[in-house]
Amino acid sequence: LDATDMHNENLVACGADPVLIDLECLFQPRAYAHVGADGRPLKAGDEFHTVLRVGLLPSRSWTRADHPGLDTSGMGSAQGQELPDVELRLEDEGTDRTRFVGRRAVFDEVERHRPVLRGAKVAPEEHAEAIVEGFRSAYRAILAHRGAFLAADGPLAAFARDEIRVLARDTRTYALLEDACFHPDHLRDAVDRDALLDRLWGEVDGLPYLARLVAAEQDDLRDGDIPLFTTRPDATDLWTSRGHALSGFFQQTSMAMVIRQVERLAEDDLERQVWAIRAALDTLRMNQAQVAGVAPARRALAAPRAPATLPGAFLTLARGVGDRLDALAIRGDDLASWVGFAEHRGVWSASTSNHALHDGSGGAAIFLAH
């Protein structure tokens, strides 16, 4: 259903069952209608869509050169994480020394998303196989009844005219900017505040479609609100919080994208998604081992019996690696990516690969070419 934003605050553990709340981010549109610097339309959407996008599985956001990022996922989030951004806090409040000081706070949300058994929080990585089997069961149920699922009077079509929220930017980005607007340096003169809000233009070069949103974003932030944009699964228009329609904002409806996605479901895709689930859950173990100073387990490959067989053995192993990369490749029209592991400042995460040589698609491409 192209869901996203299923973070820890949108999940409540109730006995053995997870209860999802605040489901405003289903059918998230990805086909922004915009053009590149040369005036030609850019390819729409997220080529490499996996279950990691939903937000339930362990993942990290807001990674920076000096910070490993934050895991706010429905399964991986935990208390005690240092927030990556400096937040304004009042010191010596109620005295003539009251002032704003920038400090990094600690993530201290109540862990209602974590199930508890006999007084102890349940670790999702200890139940990886049950999670995988549940996913396989649901996936194959849709495969077996795909026609009914996509029918004009089926469960998918019932969502067509529901209002959904469009996450043009992270809510946290808006919140930090809103917070900064209340600093005295930006309250003495409206020009100073407007200059701060003009920082919203900073991402427009890379994401040209944001240019149509900046005025509405600034209006909402001036009113002390988090900017809100909505659409419907059957619409290509986007609506601002004031009800203004931005016509043709999307190249196609999110309903059309979801239907195409359901039509593409297949056993080989199922295995790629299962790999992504296992990889994401494995990062919880890897990070626990890192904290404990435990070296990751390594498996030794058995040496061939005779030296004369070494070239053949190496070639067989290399072909096995190549076949595995081929099977796990997430393909776009003329592109490919993989779900893999990345380590940043001592913290592991699973994500679709970047273009890097060491842990990205560059290394896989060179290996396959060779």
Side-chain angles (χ1 to χ4, degrees), residues 57-221:
L57 292 164
S59 60
R60 305 200 79 78
S61 305
W62 307 298
T63 55
R64 296 181 177 174
D66 63 340
H67 197 279
L70 196 66
D71 186 348
T72 61
S73 65
M75 290 189 187
S77 177
Q79 291 176 312
Q81 302 177 80
E82 185 184 65
L83 299 178
D85 299 297
V86 171
E87 296 186 343
L88 295 177
R89 297 296 180 96
L90 278 174
E91 287 203 350
D92 293 333
E93 191 171 0
T95 73
D96 58 3
R97 297 185 303 278
T98 300
R99 64 198 180 280
F100 279 106
V101 177
R103 296 193 183 282
R104 276 187 172 167
V106 173
F107 187 69
D108 57 359
E109 296 289 339
V110 177
E111 294 182 330
R112 294 191 179 96
H113 62 292
R114 291 245 174 171
V116 175
L117 181 63
R118 301 187 188 94
K121 294 184 180 69
V122 177
E125 66 272 21
E126 300 300 327
H127 302 272
E129 288 311 307
I131 292 169
V132 164
E133 286 312 305
F135 181 81
R136 284 189 200 274
S137 176
Y139 193 110
R140 285 174 174 153
I142 295 172
L143 272 181
H145 303 281
R146 181 159 31 199
F149 195 72
L150 295 176
D153 60 348
L156 204 60
F159 288 95
R161 297 191 61 80
D162 287 344
E163 183 180 84
I164 54 175
R165 182 184 175 197
V166 175
L167 293 177
R169 308 184 202 241
D170 287 330
T171 299
R172 182 168 175 78
T173 299
Y174 291 135
L176 288 169
L177 196 54
E178 181 73 13
D179 193 34
C181 283
F182 287 101
H183 192 284
D185 288 349
H186 302 120
L187 289 174
R188 297 185 182 97
D189 192 325
V191 173
D192 294 329
R193 183 193 59 185
D194 288 348
L196 176 67
L197 293 178
D198 276 341
R199 297 187 68 171
L200 289 165
W201 289 99
E203 290 184 278
V204 169
D205 283 347
L207 303 171
Y209 60 85
L210 289 176
R212 298 181 67 184
L213 306 182
V214 172
E217 291 174 319
Q218 292 178 335
D219 285 344
D220 285 347
L221 288 167

Side-chain angles (χ1 to χ4, degrees), residues 4-5 24-30 32 53 163-171 174 209-210 213 217 226-233 235-239 249-250 254:
T4 188
D5 212 38
E24 61 185 0
C25 293
L26 299 175
F27 294 89
Q28 276 297 290
R30 291 174 280 134
Y32 296 105
R53 183 171 183 263
E163 183 180 84
I164 54 175
R165 182 184 175 197
V166 175
L167 293 177
R169 308 184 202 241
D170 287 330
T171 299
Y174 291 135
Y209 60 85
L210 289 176
L213 306 182
E217 291 174 319
I226 297 297
L228 176 68
F229 299 98
T230 58
T231 188
R232 299 192 311 265
T236 57
D237 293 351
L238 182 73
W239 284 270
F249 191 81
F250 305 107
S254 55

Side-chain angles (χ1 to χ4, degrees), residues 304-329:
R305 293 183 180 179
T309 65
L310 279 175
F314 289 154
L315 187 57
T316 298
L317 287 172
R319 281 178 172 155
V321 172
D323 290 342
R324 182 67 171 161
L325 286 173
D326 181 42
L328 293 179

